[in-house]
């Protein structure tokens, strides 16, 4: 009996120690697996067969770790997708927490507000130093779901690293869940160009109405006077009818210019651009103005330089005619008697250059950048008196751009004005006539 106990006790102790060691190894594996899962990493399956509660624990751990890993993978995929979508958005998206710390900014927000990867976690008011943006954030943080803040704000241009122009932004702010909200998401949509176009359209309608009203008012006044008393007064009736005729011509010129500009701006103008010899077309335009120049006591000079007639550009003859008719017509209109209008041609390796210069009244420096705008005139009364519509240079600018050319102007009040048109040369050989 004593011998049996002497053998059994150590055997039992050894078996118990072996079991305890297996249990502790399995529990250690489960603990390490849980730690890895908690860190968002993958965990290996725990092996080893156990019965009872430990067996059940291993089973549940293995099943849950597969489930958790699948969820983590799906979560990571969703996160990546969201990043790509937000990164591709033209709108700037910014998220802040309740303490105004930056949680997220997409690529457009980085570009708009000058942010980068190091901005996340920093205070938004320090990163985006714009009172209207801060006001949008604060207002949104005071809202509760599902309310949203909507507004429009002006963002001054940044000085560095590169000077950026001022922008107009439409903003929509949505509070994050929570009461008070745990943060806010703001979406900024750049509407600068849209607002500028709206303003241009409004200005155009106001200007066009005014321009149409002026000759109409004259026509109405002359017609009323004729009907009242002047119809049978031979001394004045013819003169009044001539004035009406003049104003109708003016209205007609204005409407034709407006239609031409509208077609050009909507790309409906039908020009067939093909290889064209520029010099003969410019010369024809000059000759068409010779009588008018002579009547105004002006010298009209055409100087083709050493340019030969064969030099080609890619254009439509009618477009070229409109450009130079307008420029030469203006030069004659704004040059007093005894002056000179000169049309000179030259060439660079890639372009043909035509200069239309005059010795006329000139254009003040502050007006130079605006004369290509629709209806802009330095001296309204003078332009109207000379039959101008205020649209000629806007049409010229459009036509030159449609030919991929450039137009510039230089002027000195009292000394004269020079318009320089550069048109790219065509590399196609000319089709010889005859
Ligand atoms: P307009 O029909 O009034 O001539 P344009 O669009 O052709 O309109 O020109 C716009 C304005 O630019 C003119 O009203 C005039 O003030 C100025 N301008 C254009 N060409 C000349 C020029 N050669 N000399 C002086 N001023 C000019």
């Amino acid at each position: 009996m004593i011998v049996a106990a002497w053998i059994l006790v150590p055997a039992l102790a050894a078996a118990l120690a072996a079991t305890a060691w297996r249990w502790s190894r399995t529990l250690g594996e489960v603990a390490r697996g849980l730690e890895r899962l908690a860190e968002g990493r993958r965990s290996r399956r725990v092996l080893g067969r156990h019965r009872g509660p430990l067996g059940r624990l291993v089973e549940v751990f293995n099943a849950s770790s597969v489930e958790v890993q699948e969820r983590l993978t799906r979560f990571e995929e969703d996160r990546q997708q969201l990043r790509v979508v937000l990164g591709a958005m033209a709108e700037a998206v910014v998220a802040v927490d309740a303490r105004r710390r930056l949680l997220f900014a997409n690529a457009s927000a980085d570009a708009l507000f000058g942010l980068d990867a190091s901005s996340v976690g920093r205070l938004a008011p320090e990163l985006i130093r714009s009172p209207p943006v801060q006001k949008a954030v604060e207002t949104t943080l005071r809202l509760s779901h599902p309310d949203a803040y909507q507004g429009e704000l002006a963002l001054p241009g940044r000085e560095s690293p590169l000077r950026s122009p001022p922008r107009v932004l439409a903003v929509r702010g949505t509070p994050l869940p929570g009461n008070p909200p745990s943060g806010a998401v703001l979406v900024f949509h750049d509407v600068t160009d849209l607002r500028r176009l709206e303003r241009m359209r409004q200005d155009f309608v106001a200007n066009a109405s005014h321009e149409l009203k002026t000759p109409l008012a004259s026509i109405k006044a002359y017609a009323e006077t004729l009907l009242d008393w002047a119809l049978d007064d031979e001394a004045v009736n013819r003169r009044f009818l001539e004035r009406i005729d003049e104003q109708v011509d003016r209205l007609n010129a204005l409407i034709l210019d407006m239609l031409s500009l509208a077609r050009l701006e909507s790309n409906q103008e039908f020009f067939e651009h093909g290889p064209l010899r520029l010099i003969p077309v410019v010369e024809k335009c000059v000759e068409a103005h010779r009588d008018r120049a002579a009547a105004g006591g002006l010298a009209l000079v055409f100087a083709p330089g050493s340019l030969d007639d064969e030099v080609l550009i890619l254009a439509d003859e009618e477009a070229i005619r409109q450009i130079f008719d307008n420029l030469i017509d203006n030069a004659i209109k704004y040059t007093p008697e005894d002056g000179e209008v000169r049309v000179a041609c030259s060439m660079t390796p890639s372009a043909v250059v035509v200069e239309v210069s005059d010795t006329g009244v000139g254009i003040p420096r502050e007006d130079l950048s605006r004369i290509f705008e629709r209806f802009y005139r330095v001296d309204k009364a003078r332009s109207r008196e000379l039959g101008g519509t205020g649209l000629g240079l806007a049409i010229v600018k459009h036509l030159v751009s449609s030919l991929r050319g450039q137009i510039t102007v230089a002027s000195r009040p009292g000394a004269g004005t020079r318009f320089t048109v550069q048109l790219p040369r065509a590399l196609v050989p000319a089709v010889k006539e005859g």
Side-chain angles (χ1 to χ4, degrees):
M1 191 66 188
I2 289 178
V3 175
W6 188 76
I7 296 169
L8 266 178
V9 170
L12 208 62
L16 273 173
T19 306
W21 181 80
R22 271 200 325 121
W23 280 21
S24 113
R25 199 183 61 177
T26 303
L27 283 169
E29 273 183 53
V30 171
R32 275 195 300 282
L34 284 171
E35 272 167 13
R36 289 177 69 89
L37 287 181
E39 288 163 6
R41 291 190 291 157
R42 294 187 169 273
S43 159
R44 265 183 296 143
R45 210 179 142 69
V46 175
L47 301 170
R49 293 168 166 273
H50 297 278
R51 283 168 218 251
L54 185 62
R56 177 91 188 107
L57 176 71
V58 169
E59 212 176 277
V60 171
F61 170 78
N62 283 336
S64 323
S65 88
V66 171
E67 175 74 10
V68 168
Q69 277 162 30
E70 276 173 7
R71 284 190 192 196
L72 276 175
T73 310
R74 271 205 305 274
F75 174 72
E76 190 50 36
E77 280 170 6
D78 285 353
R79 223 167 69 108
Q80 287 299 341
Q81 261 177 20
L82 205 64
R83 274 193 178 273
V84 172
V85 171
L86 288 167
M89 278 173 70
E91 288 84 2
V93 182
V94 167
V96 295
D97 66 14
R99 291 187 302 158
R100 283 67 173 164
R101 286 183 196 283
L102 188 72
L103 294 174
F104 173 83
N106 70 350
S108 299
D110 286 352
L112 185 66
F113 299 119
L115 307 174
D116 57 34
S118 71
S119 308
V120 174
R122 287 170 56 196
L123 281 172
E126 283 175 11
L127 295 165
I128 308 169
R129 292 182 175 276
S130 154
V133 172
Q134 283 168 30
K135 187 175 152 233
V137 172
E138 294 308 319
T139 315
T140 308
L141 284 171
R142 281 198 297 274
L143 297 174
S144 49
H145 192 73
D147 288 347
Y149 165 82
Q150 240 163 336
E152 198 162 299
L153 55 90
L155 193 72
R158 264 182 298 122
E159 290 297 327
S160 62
L162 286 175
R163 197 183 168 79
S164 61
R167 315 301 305 166
V168 183
L169 304 174
V171 53
R172 187 183 165 85
T174 312
L176 290 175
N179 193 11
S182 56
V185 178
L186 288 104
V187 180
F188 298 88
H189 180 50
D190 193 332
V191 291
T192 316
D193 292 341
L194 198 70
R195 294 288 172 268
R196 191 173 48 81
L197 286 176
E198 277 171 9
R199 219 175 28 251
M200 272 172 66
R201 200 173 315 132
Q202 283 163 3
D203 287 355
F204 181 73
V205 171
N207 281 324
S209 317
H210 180 75
E211 296 294 332
L212 292 169
K213 241 172 68 189
T214 315
L216 271 178
S218 291
I219 293 170
K220 177 94 180 132
Y222 285 122
E224 275 176 4
T225 318
L226 280 168
L227 287 172
D228 274 355
W229 57 267
L231 199 56
D232 299 320
D233 186 340
E234 302 241 326
V236 289
N237 61 7
R238 188 176 176 83
R239 195 152 42 89
F240 282 11
L241 282 171
E242 278 167 3
R243 295 280 179 280
I244 290 180
D245 195 39
E246 272 167 24
Q247 295 301 326
V248 169
D249 281 350
R250 196 175 141 195
L251 269 180
N252 195 35
L254 190 62
I255 288 166
L256 287 179
D257 273 359
M258 277 163 68
L259 283 174
S260 177
L261 198 59
R263 278 202 302 271
L264 275 169
E265 286 185 341
S266 58
N267 290 326
Q268 282 173 9
E269 192 66 89
F270 186 72
F271 285 127
E272 277 191 28
H273 297 315
L276 177 78
R277 290 185 190 88
L278 178 68
I279 305 303
V281 183
V282 176
E283 189 170 9
K284 253 194 263 173
C285 290
V286 174
E287 292 314 318
H289 285 85
R290 199 156 290 288
D291 289 348
R292 266 199 60 217
L298 302 176
L300 179 58
V301 182
F302 178 57
S306 56
L307 227 63
D308 81 65
D309 271 11
E310 299 297 310
V311 62
L312 288 177
I313 61 161
L314 218 52
D316 180 282
E317 181 165 343
E318 176 56 21
I320 295 296
R321 211 182 47 72
Q322 278 195 36
I323 293 171
F324 292 102
D325 271 350
N326 264 302
L327 293 178
I328 300 169
D329 187 57
N330 275 349
I332 293 175
K333 261 189 336 200
Y334 298 106
T335 304
E337 222 179 327
D338 292 333
E340 182 185 275
V341 172
R342 189 180 177 81
V343 180
C345 310
S346 59
M347 206 161 68
T348 71
S350 58
V352 186
V353 184
V354 183
E355 285 181 359
V356 179
S357 50
D358 60 59
T359 55
V361 294
I363 303 168
R365 204 213 296 228
E366 62 273 19
D367 296 298
L368 274 179
S369 62
R370 302 201 56 192
I371 54 166
F372 293 101
E373 288 175 19
R374 299 176 289 189
F375 294 120
Y376 190 83
R377 292 135 153 171
V378 177
D379 182 339
K380 275 200 169 60
R382 179 186 220 149
S383 154
R384 285 211 190 97
E385 194 188 303
L386 295 168
T389 62
L391 293 175
L393 287 181
I395 293 175
V396 167
K397 176 106 185 174
H398 262 287
L399 286 169
V400 173
S401 310
S402 76
L403 298 173
R404 299 181 197 289
Q406 278 181 338
I407 179 161
T408 52
V409 58
S411 185
R412 212 145 46 89
T417 304
R418 186 178 63 237
F419 285 92
T420 305
V421 179
Q422 285 206 31
L423 297 167
R425 289 173 59 186
L427 301 169
V428 217
V431 183
K432 292 261 182 204
E433 289 147 24

